Amino acid sequence: MRLLPALLFSVFFSAVSLYAEAPIEAAKPDLAHLTDSWPTYNGDYSGRRFSPLKKINTATVKQLSLAWSFRVETNTAGGRRISATPLEVDGVLYFTVPSHVWAVDARTGHKLWQFDWASKGGESIGNRGAAVLGNTVYFETEDCNLVAIDRETGKEKWHVSIGNPDQFYFGSVAPVIVKNHVMVGVSGDDFDIPGYIEAHDPETGALQWRWYTHPNPGDPEAKTWPNDEAMLHGGGMTWVAGTYDPELNLYYFGTGNAQPVINGRARPGANLYTSTICALNPDTGKLVWYFQPNPHDTHDWDAVQTPVLIDGIVDGHKRKLLAQASRNGWYFLLDRTNGKNLLSTPFAKQNWTLGVDAKGSPIPNPAKMAQLNGALVAPNQAGAANWYPPSFSPETGLFYVPAYDAYSVYYIYDNNKKPEGWAGNDRGGWSRASLRAIDYKTGKVRWNHQWPSPGGRSGILTTAGNLLFTGDTTSNLVAFNATNGEILWHAGLTGIVSNGPITYELDGLQYVVAAAGDTLYAFALR
């Protein structure tokens, strides 16, 4: 904690008292109203990252000032960059970096407890956050364990393995609570290993089911691979938390790129279910439908970007929709009851397709796959979008995404008949960074704010105050008019905004919280 204004000093002590008296065993996230809480990775299950709060609005946003900041301190491995979206439950923020979890007073930034995990390996590129159910906090470790922590004391309750770090699986995904299931994904694409998603019992950690991101041998979709060996080692990691429709009881998530990475010559075909949007029954782990945004991925583009759930009207009819701005530069709108494609259209520069097929999936152009002498392709490997959370405002009807227009040259450097792991890569090229607002029905860009230079990306928050909060490509947290893209306010931080901002209201005061590097910053009206 670096700054604690006197005005909040008394609030701090009352907050600690309230926390101590709260019936913590009965506490459960309220997913219906994002006012005094932000209880799961995307706020609610929809993935919209839209808050109904509006005390901070287009008229008052210029009065925002720093309420507090909190810098993480660690003495063990794991890194310090906060890419996690904090959860706010009962006046407490819970957030992570690899191997570490914090509980911080949401009013003051005062640390309540810190949990340190002694990792035995894995990869520490980032950790997207935690999940909370009742009196338990859940998070994944980089050496692939799911850990349950007592919410009041910060002490471990139990942990279970969710993958083998010796095979280069690692944990970075924010778990999601769906009924009595703790949904977890896995990361890693250095070895030719299959991706999967799991559900665990929230009380004991026992595995309820695991679903691999490939067809079973003999399934019709298995014909999208040359043979079972390639299919069973074909990748498809589940890097990003999914979304959920309680009425349909369907859990939606995207899968990662096919392996070997970049060089797809030894795996001809669409390579299902890699780079695919999937809908699973969370009680059984059975696949209900799928749509593939990126068949035969040879650019490491994945399809893990958040599948955002929108209830809208298309062609005069109410529809349950799913929208994704994919890393490959295409925007997709689906009927989320059955996965039927309603719209496929580019939202950023792309030159890698020959059009779309009858199901709405782009058709890869063989000339734009990686070559020994290189192929100039848009987008670059970092993608037109990436894991940074988008947002959808039901009040503007706009889907907001941190968008890159970029070209690079893709090379193959493992030209064996049976390449393994990373068999190519991309290098160099031109790029341009923007914040883009897209009409969710048509995919047309309504407004675009081009940043002065390329650089880092940040997640997005929208509110009923007609505001959009995100980071620029240098070190500012910026507030836009969500309707027309006008910049209304900004604050300089110590680094690029490294997560998705959140907002919540406590004691009549609305806060906006974002991370930059190793520090959380909270802003409130003064």
Side-chain angles (χ1 to χ4, degrees):
M1 183 175 65
R2 300 173 62 192
L3 180 64
L4 184 61
L7 178 63
L8 288 177
F9 201 67
S10 61
V11 177
F12 156 60
F13 286 106
S14 63
V16 170
S17 176
L18 285 173
Y19 178 79
E21 296 171 359
I24 201 164
E25 289 289 344
K28 286 187 177 181
D30 181 354
L31 293 167
H33 305 289
L34 292 180
T35 53
D36 61 353
S37 68
W38 190 278
T40 190
Y41 176 72
N42 286 311
D44 64 9
Y45 281 138
S46 71
R48 300 173 192 169
R49 290 182 177 251
F50 172 83
S51 168
L53 295 177
K54 51 187 177 183
K55 286 187 175 177
I56 303 172
N57 53 49
T58 54
T60 63
V61 67
K62 291 184 178 179
Q63 302 169 32
L64 269 185
S65 63
L66 186 66
W68 54 261
S69 65
F70 177 84
R71 186 178 187 183
V72 303
E73 295 182 358
T74 62
N75 296 315
T76 57
R80 295 184 178 184
R81 180 176 182 267
I82 305 170
S83 55
T85 297
L87 309 185
E88 192 276 299
V89 181
D90 292 340
V92 179
L93 292 172
Y94 303 93
F95 66 96
T96 63
V97 302
S99 285
H100 306 280
V101 185
W102 284 267
V104 170
D105 190 292
R107 296 171 173 88
T108 66
H110 175 74
K111 184 173 78 174
L112 301 174
W113 54 255
Q114 175 176 339
F115 176 84
D116 303 314
W117 173 260
S119 180
K120 296 179 175 61
E123 171 61 56
S124 58
I125 63 171
N127 189 289
R128 309 300 179 225
V132 169
L133 178 65
N135 67 342
T136 306
V137 179
Y138 306 86
F139 91 115
E140 294 186 8
T141 68
E142 63 261 40
D143 58 355
C144 257
N145 287 279
L146 173 64
V147 182
I149 304 167
D150 186 287
R151 215 182 108 198
E152 187 173 13
T153 66
K155 304 298 183 183
E156 179 182 330
K157 291 184 169 182
W158 49 256
H159 70 268
V160 295
S161 173
I162 59 173
N164 184 353
D166 292 338
Q167 296 180 334
F168 277 24
Y169 286 105
F170 62 94
S172 67
V173 185
V176 177
I177 306 296
V178 176
K179 299 195 286 188
N180 67 327
H181 313 293
V182 184
M183 312 288 288
V184 298
V186 289
S187 307
D189 56 6
D190 290 294
F191 282 3
D192 297 333
I193 50 178
Y196 53 85
I197 187 169
E198 292 182 342
H200 289 259
D201 185 290
E203 292 295 326
T204 66
L207 179 66
Q208 295 171 327
W209 52 258
R210 172 184 286 188
W211 183 80
Y212 282 100
T213 60
H214 59 66
N216 294 315
D219 288 351
E221 290 82 4
K223 294 179 181 178
T224 62
W225 294 86
N227 52 61
D228 288 351
E229 181 185 10
M231 179 176 72
L232 298 177
H233 295 82
M237 297 300 146
T238 47
W239 295 84
V240 176
T243 53
Y244 174 63
D245 185 327
E247 290 183 1
L248 299 173
N249 195 32
L250 291 179
Y251 185 75
Y252 307 96
F253 62 97
T255 64
N257 56 281
Q259 297 170 357
V261 188
I262 303 295
N263 186 352
R265 294 178 179 179
R267 49 174 175 81
N271 305 147
L272 288 168
Y273 302 108
T274 64
S275 295
T276 297
I277 298 171
C278 302
L280 260 63
N281 181 318
D283 297 325
T284 64
K286 302 297 184 184
L287 181 67
V288 177
W289 60 255
Y290 67 87
F291 172 81
Q292 192 173 33
N294 200 25
H296 190 64
D297 186 349
T298 58
H299 303 92
D300 186 31
W301 283 331
D302 305 326
V304 301
Q305 292 66 55
T306 301
V308 179
L309 310 187
I310 299 171
D311 296 323
I313 297 176
V314 175
D315 297 330
H317 300 285
K318 290 183 177 179
R319 302 291 290 266
K320 282 179 168 288
L321 305 168
L322 182 154
Q324 183 191 68
S326 202
R327 188 169 164 180
N328 63 13
W330 285 69
Y331 172 81
F332 301 98
L333 188 66
L334 310 179
D335 182 328
R336 71 173 183 268
T337 67
N338 55 24
K340 182 180 178 182
N341 177 270
L342 302 175
L343 177 68
S344 300
T345 186
F347 72 93
K349 287 189 179 297
Q350 62 82 37
N351 69 351
W352 62 278
T353 72
L354 298 172
V356 298
D357 65 17
K359 295 181 179 179
S361 295
I363 302 169
N365 180 351
K368 294 301 181 182
M369 297 177 185
Q371 310 289 333
L372 282 172
N373 293 327
L376 181 63
V377 181
N380 64 8
Q381 189 183 149
N386 207 293
W387 68 266
Y388 300 90
S391 182
F392 171 76
S393 168
E395 298 197 351
T396 64
L398 298 177
F399 183 107
Y400 305 93
V401 60
Y404 259 66
D405 298 303
Y407 288 84
S408 66
V409 181
Y410 286 75
Y411 296 97
I412 289 174
Y413 53 63
D414 182 350
N415 199 32
N416 292 316
K417 291 183 179 178
K418 190 179 178 182
E420 296 179 350
W422 278 83
N425 216 320
D426 75 331
R427 289 291 182 269
W430 168 88
S431 65
R432 181 175 61 196
S434 301
L435 171 64
R436 204 154 285 171
I438 300 170
D439 185 310
Y440 82 94
K441 295 181 183 178
T442 66
K444 303 295 185 184
V445 176
R446 287 277 194 87
W447 59 260
N448 181 77
H449 179 83
Q450 182 180 327
W451 300 113
S453 63
R457 305 188 211 206
S458 309
I460 299 173
L461 164 74
T462 55
T463 75
N466 195 28
L467 294 174
L468 180 153
F469 291 92
T470 190
D472 66 7
T473 54
T474 54
S475 301
N476 292 293
L477 176 64
V478 185
F480 288 83
N481 181 311
T483 299
N484 58 27
E486 178 187 4
I487 290 180
L488 302 175
W489 171 88
H490 75 278
L493 309 180
T494 53
I496 294 170
V497 174
S498 51
N499 72 342
I502 67 169
T503 188
Y504 51 87
E505 183 174 312
L506 296 170
D507 307 322
L509 193 62
Q510 183 182 350
Y511 297 82
V512 174
V513 173
D518 61 4
T519 304
L520 274 187
Y521 296 88
F523 294 87
L525 293 175
R526 288 291 181 269

